[in-house]
Structure formats: structure tokens, C-alpha cells
Amino acid sequence: MLNPTIQEYLDDMHLEVPWTEGELKPGDDMKLLMKAFRELKEKLHEYADLTVPYKERISVKDLKVQSFISVRRANVPAGLNVDNSSVGNVFTSLAGMAAVPNSGAYHAYFDRYVQLMLCQTIKNTVSEDLQYLYDQQNQCLYVSANVPKPTYVTITYIPEYDDPSELKTKFAQSQLRKLAVAYMKIHVGSKRRKVKLPNSPAQLDGEALLSEGLEELREVRSYLVQNNTPQTVL
């Protein structure tokens, strides 16, 4: 499914907030949408994963990156990225199997596994696996890996968005619409409340529209703070 276009966001704003020519000048709606977009970007926690063949110098020129989070092995050999609890469980399991009569095949596997674990522990003690340095000027990552070298690595990063049409998750798209509509109501309501109908008991709804927009803006901001958990962008 395609991401909403900028025009689709603008159409949603116009449908939610009817306006007159005096209340909205040409280009005002786009300015309000971009204002909402910039605010959302500051609060958005979206991660993207990219799996590429391992090289010591990986070009990231085709990525629009705000910052990098991590580089990890896409296929993990024995002994890498295994926490102490998992290691203990593996040893316990293997030791139990090795104690069973006529299970000599497990002894060879157990010995081999111990060797791998010991070698990798020494390597990780001397040098941390998959350290990386981002060369922003040349748009590349320098990555160092312990032996055995990985075939592929997965790079996790925070994507940089230049315009609303690039937002990929339903969460971000929905919150942008709500922010943009709230800003639209505030803008139109501020203009409308200044207009007074002479000799008429009925007046325009500018004050109510302004209050509604301010309340919706407060609700969206509060919701973003409480529910904006990190999400992976596909």
C-alpha cells in the first residue's frame, strides 16, 4: 500500500476544517502541514534495519540517516552474542546429554562447542565485535569484526524524513493527520473569531474552533509522549 501523498494530507485537513478565502491564504495549508511534520519528527522513534554483505567500508550514500543505532551480525556463529544465562543453559543441556549412556557422539560436539566458546570469549575480551565508525562526510560506515568474519551485517538506524509522504508507519501517518488538523483548526479559528457579524445574535464559531484545535493539539502531544514506543520501519 502506497504512503499518503502530501496532497492527500492536505485534502484531509480541508475536509476536517471548512474554510473561506479570507481565512486561509494560498500556501497556508502547506505551511501548517510542514509545521506539524517538523513537530512529529522530533517526537518520532522509528528504527529501520538494513542487511548488507559485510565489508570493512560500507557505503550508506543511498540511505537517509538521522543517526545509527547498531551494527550486528545477520547470521550469528556459535558463541557470538550469547548472554551468560543462555550459555549456562546450553552447557547444562549438553552436560546432561553427555551423561546418558551410549551418547559418545555428544562428547565430541560438547568439546568442540567449548573450544568455540572459549576462543570467542577471548576475542571479545580483547576486541569488541563489530565496532563501527560513521564517516558522515563520505557517507560510509567503517566496521571491524572479529574472526570468523560475518557474511552479512544488519545495520539499525533512525531514518531521516524530508517530507510527509516518506512516513511509512500507520502510527506516524495517523499522528501527522491529527497534528495537522489541530493546527488547521487553530489557524482558521484564530482568523474567524476576529470577524463579528453586526446586528446579529448569531456569530461565527471561531472561538469554539480555536479551543477545539488547542485541545486536540494537547491530546496528540500527550499521546505521543505516552505511546511513542520505538518501531521498526520495513
Side-chain angles (χ1 to χ4, degrees), residues 142-160:
Y142 292 96
V143 183
S144 64
N146 291 333
V147 177
K149 302 290 186 180
T151 305
Y152 291 89
V153 293
T154 297
I155 302 169
T156 300
Y157 65 97
I158 300 177
E160 178 62 57

Side-chain angles (χ1 to χ4, degrees), residues 7-185:
Q7 188 57 52
E8 287 173 325
Y9 284 114
L10 295 175
D11 290 343
D12 289 341
M13 294 164 63
H14 295 166
L15 286 173
E16 290 287 336
V17 189
W19 51 275
T20 62
E21 185 175 344
E23 295 169 340
L24 200 68
K25 296 178 182 179
D28 281 350
D29 52 355
M30 186 63 186
K31 292 178 181 177
L32 294 171
L33 176 61
M34 293 307 294
K35 182 178 181 179
F37 174 64
R38 288 191 296 271
E39 178 173 343
L40 180 65
K41 280 207 307 180
E42 294 178 357
K43 298 178 172 64
L44 202 57
H45 298 153
E46 290 190 341
Y47 298 157
D49 283 340
L50 175 68
T51 299
V52 296
Y54 170 72
K55 298 177 182 178
E56 292 185 353
R57 185 180 187 274
I58 301 174
S59 174
V60 291
K61 290 182 178 180
D62 295 333
L63 296 182
K64 296 168 68 173
V65 177
Q66 185 181 123
S67 61
F68 288 96
I69 302 299
S70 67
V71 178
R72 64 186 185 276
R73 293 173 181 254
N75 48 341
V76 183
L80 281 178
N81 297 335
V82 182
D83 59 33
N84 292 334
S85 176
S86 298
V87 171
N89 292 337
V90 170
F91 273 97
T92 300
S93 178
L94 287 173
M97 289 186 292
V100 177
N102 301 321
S103 60
Y106 287 107
H107 286 283
Y109 181 82
F110 182 80
D111 291 342
R112 175 59 178 162
Y113 193 87
V114 170
Q115 292 174 9
L116 284 172
M117 290 292 294
L118 180 59
C119 289
Q120 197 58 54
T121 299
I122 294 173
K123 291 173 186 175
N124 288 341
T125 301
V126 175
S127 174
E128 183 180 351
D129 191 38
L130 287 179
Q131 298 183 70
Y132 68 92
L133 174 66
Y134 177 38
D135 182 350
Q136 188 171 11
Q137 182 175 357
N138 295 307
Q139 294 292 287
C140 65
L141 279 177
Y142 292 96
V143 183
S144 64
N146 291 333
V147 177
K149 302 290 186 180
T151 305
Y152 291 89
V153 293
T154 297
I155 302 169
T156 300
Y157 65 97
I158 300 177
E160 178 62 57
Y161 300 122
D162 292 330
D163 70 69
S165 65
E166 296 178 350
L167 296 175
K168 294 180 175 61
T169 65
K170 294 297 182 183
F171 177 86
Q173 294 166 3
S174 174
Q175 298 311 306
L176 177 60
R177 284 191 177 93
K178 292 178 181 179
L179 277 174
V181 168
Y183 276 124
M184 185 81 158
K185 290 181 178 180

Side-chain angles (χ1 to χ4, degrees), residues 154-221:
T154 297
I155 302 169
T156 300
Y157 65 97
I158 300 177
E160 178 62 57
Y161 300 122
D162 292 330
D163 70 69
S165 65
E166 296 178 350
L167 296 175
K168 294 180 175 61
T169 65
K170 294 297 182 183
F171 177 86
Q173 294 166 3
S174 174
Q175 298 311 306
L176 177 60
R177 284 191 177 93
K178 292 178 181 179
L179 277 174
V181 168
Y183 276 124
M184 185 81 158
K185 290 181 178 180
I186 292 170
H187 179 86
V188 174
S190 298
K191 298 280 187 180
R192 191 173 294 174
R193 71 171 181 167
K194 298 177 182 178
V195 179
K196 303 298 181 182
L197 301 179
N199 303 320
S200 174
Q203 296 295 325
L204 300 177
D205 63 345
E207 197 69 47
L209 189 61
L210 174 60
S211 298
E212 185 177 328
L214 290 171
E215 177 61 21
E216 290 180 4
L217 183 62
R218 185 195 65 78
E219 290 177 355
V220 175
R221 286 172 172 171

